[in-house]
Amino acid sequence: MLGHCLCGQVEFEIVGESFKLYQCHCSLCRRQGGSLSNAATIVPNEKFRWLAGAEFISSWMKESGFRSDFCSICGSPVPNPLRNLPYIWVPTGLLEDNGDLQIVAQLCVAYKASWDPTILQGVCYDELPNLSEFISLLQAAKA
């Protein structure tokens, strides 16, 4: 599955389609994307490959560890390493083919914006879930 930023300078590929999506409703994710929530997935490093434009990626990190990588040309959020783990966080709005992807979890529902009318689908977590269990949920094979 191919993905790219708004201007097309940063391009990447996710190998395989056995991953699922989540939405995060925390204030950091809302601010990062300028929307109701952030839709993303987490994939193992070996399933992710940069195709072009890595030199255009800039990073910003909050003291808490929240990291935001973005295209320095158009400002789109782009994939970034998940902490010191062997995974990549991928904002799914960048994917070319949204095909048969499914949202399976909602994070930080307790922080959902009061004006957000979204009907939540999938498992809802008021806070951030246990990371290893959460990654297993996202990597689960499609039924």
Side-chain angles (χ1 to χ4, degrees):
M1 190 170 291
L2 299 174
H4 60 84
C5 66
L6 187 60
C7 70
Q9 293 297 312
V10 177
E11 298 177 332
F12 63 91
E13 175 181 41
I14 299 173
V15 179
E17 295 182 13
S18 62
F19 58 88
K20 296 181 178 160
L21 313 179
Y22 72 92
Q23 287 180 285
C24 184
H25 301 271
C26 78
S27 62
L28 293 174
C29 287
R30 290 196 319 263
R31 285 184 180 105
Q32 180 189 39
S35 188
L36 300 171
S37 66
N38 154 336
T41 191
I42 297 169
V43 298
N45 286 346
E46 66 270 9
K47 293 193 174 205
F48 182 87
R49 183 168 64 112
W50 291 111
L51 299 176
E55 68 273 16
F56 296 115
I57 298 173
S58 293
S59 294
W60 176 80
M61 188 175 294
K62 195 167 175 67
E63 285 181 23
S64 67
F66 178 89
R67 178 175 170 162
S68 179
D69 285 14
F70 52 93
C71 172
S72 60
I73 297 172
C74 68
S76 293
V78 297
N80 65 63
L82 183 64
R83 302 181 186 169
N84 292 324
L85 301 172
Y87 294 96
I88 302 287
W89 172 83
V90 180
T92 53
L94 303 178
L95 297 175
E96 287 265 330
D97 177 11
N98 293 324
D100 188 26
L101 298 177
Q102 172 188 11
I103 294 172
V104 296
Q106 304 286 331
L107 307 185
C108 299
V109 173
Y111 304 101
K112 184 178 166 192
S114 61
W115 42 267
D116 182 350
T118 306
I119 296 172
L120 304 178
Q121 63 186 83
V123 180
C124 292
Y125 299 94
D126 280 342
E127 305 280 334
L128 292 174
N130 172 281
L131 189 56
S132 61
E133 291 174 22
F134 177 60
I135 290 173
S136 293
L137 176 65
L138 295 177
Q139 303 302 310
K142 292 182 181 181

